[in-house]
């Protein structure tokens, strides 16, 4: 199991047209830990996160060089089935986007895509992952009402359950609490701390205190460069680089 | 000093008066505009009154006999003609327009999209009589020489099929333009959410994009429907204008707008003829108005429905 779920980045650079958003990044993401990507806005945090599941698909004017290895496979290589890569990762975006369907169908969407048709199995999957996201009690009576009727905090937990239902090994969170009230944020953070027993979690955040609460491992990005990375305690207590110190002391943001 | 002050006051007074005047006069113009629709309906309604003294409404709508000289005004052949032509046009236009819009929004490279979009708007600006002439020159012979023989039918070419094809092309821009806007409004993050679950692009389009965009697309179609139903000159030129209930695509038909345009102002010496044609006009107006209102209701309600659909 130890070799599974590994994300390794080698010399990754990303260009939007002429702008270089990521500059020659190499890093290994530890397994079954919470890795937090921090850095000032516009430093490339989200770009790095999205490069992991190829949501940053090389298209019109996005160019990617270098490698992102997931389980040893370069996901930007030729002949890579992108849907199979994405199935390995659940994504939480800044603002929750429930799909335009019922609560039940939101969770069942992924498993159905991947061929699950058995009604009983789907029922079990829906219940199981809604429980994992601690949403079950709140929605069990209205599984077939539109997901958009939920509160934003509930929607984000729904999105978490939806992501988990495809059986990923990795969870990606792009500032997953930034649209939520403090209570709902706490809810989500608690889920993350539980989930790291089974999943490799990577979160982008601009809230330093949140990073301190959650992180086992930290990447600090600045202007598209990976300035420093290491275990959370080292980075927060004893950063090596001047710029990291300034960021952590709140001088730059 | 006081004189200057006085002048200033006058000036100020005039300014305010002008402002009041502007507001009031604009309101009056607006009122005239709004009244126009009401007056048109009212006049049509009053002038159709004589025909109702002679025939009942179901009789007018569902009788197939059209013999004005004998006082028989059955509108069914014309209503059927309108429905046929509109139906054929929509059957052609809906799939083509939907796929075109989807391609433009989801797949086309930005450059191609920028090239095609103005073309679609130009298509919308072509006068309908030009479409009519083109229909006579290209579509009618095509149907006569190729399409009808393919089905083993002999046709003059002036037919429902010709009217439907010409109309379909005329409503392309309406449907495509609105659909593209609606599809563009589907949030990228919502599509990403589906992709991130391992959906293919097509699955995402089918289950998420289309579902989210559906109310808007239905509205676009309804709007196109009302445009097609009321279109007069281009249809009239290619559809044959025979007052009989059509039996096949290659039969001629006589839609309501063509009936009015061809006959109003002529043969009005026949009693009730005038009233009968105005009944047709009222019918047409109400149907088109109805479709328009429905479409606008869906479009303005799409804020609500997008909330509903997430």
């Amino acid at each position: 199991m130890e070799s599974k779920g590994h994300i390794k980045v080698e010399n990754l650079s990303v260009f939007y047209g002429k702008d270089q958003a990521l500059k020659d990044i190499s890093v290994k993401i530890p397994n079954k830990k919470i890795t937090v990507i921090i850095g000032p806005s516009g430093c490339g945090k989200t770009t790095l996160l999205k490069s992991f599941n190829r949501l940053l698909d090389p298209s019109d004017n996005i160019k990617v060089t270098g490698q992102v290895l997931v389980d040893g496979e370069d996901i930007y290589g030729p002949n890579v089935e992108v849907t199979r890569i994405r199935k390995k990762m659940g994504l939480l975006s800044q603002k929750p986007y429930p799909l335009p369907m019922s609560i039940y169908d939101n969770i069942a969407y992924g498993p159905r895509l991947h061929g699950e048709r058995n009604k009983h199995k789907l029922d079990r999957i829906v219940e199981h992952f809604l429980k994992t996201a601690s949403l079950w009690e709140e929605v069990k009576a209205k599984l077939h009402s539109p997901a958009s009727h939920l509160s934003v905090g509930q929607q984000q937990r729904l999105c978490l359950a939806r992501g988990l239902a495809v059986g990923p090994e990795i969870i990606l969170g792009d500032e997953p609490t930034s649209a939520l009230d403090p209570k709902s944020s706490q809810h989500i953070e608690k889920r993350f701390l539980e989930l790291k027993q089974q999943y490799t979690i990577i979160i982008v955040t601009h809230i330093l205190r949140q990073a301190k609460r959650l992180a086992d491992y930290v990447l600090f990005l600045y202007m598209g460069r990976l300035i420093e990375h290491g275990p959370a305690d080292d980075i927060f207590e004893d950063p090596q680089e001047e710029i990291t110190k300034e960021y952590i002391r709140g001088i730059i943001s | 000093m006081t004189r200057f002050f006085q002048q200033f006051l006058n000036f100020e007074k005039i300014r305010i008066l002008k402002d009041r005047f502007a507001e009031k006069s604009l309101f009056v113009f607006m009122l005239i505009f709004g009244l126009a629709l009401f007056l048109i309906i009212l006049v049509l309604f009053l002038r159709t009154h004589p025909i109702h003294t002679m025939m009942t409404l179901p009789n007018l709508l569902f009788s197939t006999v059209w013999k004005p000289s004998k006082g028989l005004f059955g509108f069914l052949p014309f209503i059927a003609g309108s429905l046929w032509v509109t139906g054929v046009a929509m059957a052609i236009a809906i799939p083509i327009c939907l796929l075109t819009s989807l391609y433009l929004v989801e797949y086309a490279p930005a450059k191609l999209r920028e090239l095609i979009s103005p073309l679609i708007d130009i298509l919308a600006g072509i006068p309908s009589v030009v479409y009519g002439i083109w229909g006579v020159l290209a579509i009618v012979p095509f149907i006569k020489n190729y399409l009808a023989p393919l089905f083993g039918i002999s046709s003059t070419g002036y037919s429902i099929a010709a009217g439907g094809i010409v109309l379909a092309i005329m409503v392309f821009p309406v449907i495509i333009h609105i659909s593209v806007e609606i599809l563009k409004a589907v949030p990228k993050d919502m599509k990403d959410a589906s992709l991130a679950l391992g959906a293919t692009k097509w699955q995402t389009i089918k289950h998420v994009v289309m579902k989210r965009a559906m109310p808007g697309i239905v509205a676009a179609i309804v709007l196109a429907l009302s445009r097609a139903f009321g279109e007069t000159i281009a249809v009239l030129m290619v559809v044959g204008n025979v007052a009989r209930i059509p039996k096949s695509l290659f039969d001629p038909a006589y839609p309501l707008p063509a009936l009015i345009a061809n006959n109003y102002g002529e043969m009005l010496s026949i009693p009730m003829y005038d009233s009968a044609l105005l009944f047709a006009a009222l019918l047409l107006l109400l149907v088109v108005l109805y479709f328009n209102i429905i479409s606008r209701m869906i479009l303005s309600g799409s804020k609500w429905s997008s909330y509903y659909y997430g």
Side-chain angles (χ1 to χ4, degrees), chain B residues 2-218:
Chain B
T2 46
R3 240 185 89 189
F4 173 75
F5 196 64
Q6 202 68 40
Q7 262 179 356
F8 176 74
L9 261 185
N10 277 339
F11 176 70
E12 192 65 359
K13 237 185 205 160
I14 290 167
R15 234 160 59 100
I16 290 168
L17 269 176
K18 273 185 180 165
D19 184 56
R20 291 253 170 82
F21 178 72
E23 187 192 324
K24 291 282 182 304
S25 57
L26 292 179
F27 175 73
V28 168
F29 283 122
M30 189 278 293
L31 212 59
I32 293 173
F33 192 71
L35 267 177
L37 178 65
F38 177 73
L39 285 177
I40 291 172
I41 296 178
L42 186 72
V43 166
L44 283 178
F45 188 76
L46 292 177
R47 299 269 309 258
T48 55
H49 185 69
I51 194 90
H52 292 296
T53 61
M54 210 175 78
M55 291 178 81
T56 62
L57 189 63
N59 223 333
L60 278 170
L61 291 176
F62 299 118
S63 160
T64 58
V65 187
W66 179 258
K67 289 209 172 104
S69 52
K70 293 190 177 150
L72 294 172
F73 299 98
F75 278 100
L76 194 61
F78 305 99
I79 294 169
S82 271
L83 290 177
W84 266 92
V85 173
T86 310
V88 170
M90 298 317 284
I92 299 171
I94 291 171
I96 294 180
C97 291
L98 261 188
L99 296 177
T100 306
S101 316
L102 276 175
Y103 178 76
L104 282 177
V105 175
E106 296 294 334
Y107 292 97
K111 278 202 179 124
L112 183 67
R113 193 165 47 224
E114 280 158 26
L115 196 77
I116 298 286
S117 300
L119 278 182
I120 290 166
D121 291 343
I122 290 170
L123 212 56
I126 297 176
S128 25
V129 68
V130 175
Y131 279 106
I133 288 176
W134 172 75
V136 171
L137 292 179
I139 302 295
V140 169
F142 168 72
I143 288 169
K144 181 183 171 194
N145 299 330
Y146 300 101
L147 202 58
L150 203 67
F151 293 91
I153 297 169
S154 87
S155 163
T156 60
Y158 290 94
S159 58
I160 290 170
I165 292 172
V166 170
L167 258 187
I169 293 166
M170 292 179 74
V171 299
F172 278 179
V174 180
I175 304 182
I176 294 177
H177 196 107
I178 303 178
S179 302
V180 163
E181 292 306 315
I182 299 279
L183 289 172
K184 269 202 241 165
V186 178
K188 181 172 185 305
D189 284 341
M190 187 184 277
K191 292 186 245 173
D192 279 356
S194 165
L195 292 174
L197 293 167
T200 60
K201 189 153 184 171
W202 178 243
Q203 286 172 320
T204 301
I205 288 173
K206 206 169 87 185
H207 299 299
V208 177
V209 176
M210 285 304 287
K211 200 159 180 191
R212 163 85 181 215
M214 201 36 89
I217 288 172
V218 169

Side-chain angles (χ1 to χ4, degrees), chain A residues 60-71:
Chain A
D60 278 346
N61 59 357
I62 300 177
K63 209 180 106 202
V64 177
T65 64
Q67 290 186 318
V68 175
L69 299 157
V70 175
D71 298 337

Side-chain angles (χ1 to χ4, degrees), chain B residues 240-306:
Chain B
N241 304 329
V242 175
R244 211 179 327 124
I245 293 183
K247 301 242 160 17
S248 95
L249 278 180
F250 303 107
D251 281 351
Y254 208 159
L256 285 166
L259 169 74
I260 302 164
N262 274 341
N263 296 300
Y264 196 77
E266 298 178 20
M267 299 193 292
L268 289 185
S269 54
I270 299 172
M272 296 287 166
Y273 201 66
D274 161 81
S275 179
L277 288 180
L278 289 174
F279 172 76
L282 182 65
L283 190 64
L284 195 65
L285 178 65
L286 291 180
V287 169
V288 170
L289 204 64
Y290 176 74
F291 279 146
N292 254 290
I293 291 171
I294 296 272
S295 156
R296 264 160 231 288
M297 272 169 61
I298 303 173
L299 273 179
S300 67
S302 68
K303 267 187 207 118
W304 174 82
S305 56
S306 70

Side-chain angles (χ1 to χ4, degrees), chain A residues 78-170:
Chain A
N79 310 325
V80 170
E81 253 182 90
V82 68
T83 52
R84 192 169 46 77
I85 299 297
R86 288 180 182 148
K87 191 172 171 285
K88 293 184 182 180
M89 308 181 203
L91 175 75
L92 283 180
S93 53
Q94 294 186 8
K95 192 173 163 262
Y97 275 97
L99 300 172
M101 45 189 86
S102 71
I103 294 170
Y104 183 99
D105 288 336
N106 259 275
I107 311 291
Y109 182 76
R112 279 182 182 143
L113 287 180
H114 301 292
E116 186 56 70
R117 287 275 174 273
N118 185 314
K119 177 91 176 65
H120 290 289
K121 267 192 189 159
L122 285 174
D123 286 349
R124 276 217 309 277
I125 290 172
V126 169
E127 181 174 347
H128 176 78
F129 288 104
L130 282 173
K131 278 179 175 161
T132 311
S134 76
L135 189 61
W136 175 253
E137 291 302 320
E138 291 157 66
V139 301
K140 64 180 177 189
K142 50 175 180 179
L143 286 176
H144 294 283
S145 64
S148 54
H149 286 185
L150 296 173
S151 75
V152 181
Q154 290 173 323
Q155 286 182 13
Q156 192 62 298
R157 275 179 281 148
L158 179 79
C159 291
L160 179 64
R162 180 180 71 191
L164 295 178
V166 294
E169 288 140 19
I170 301 159

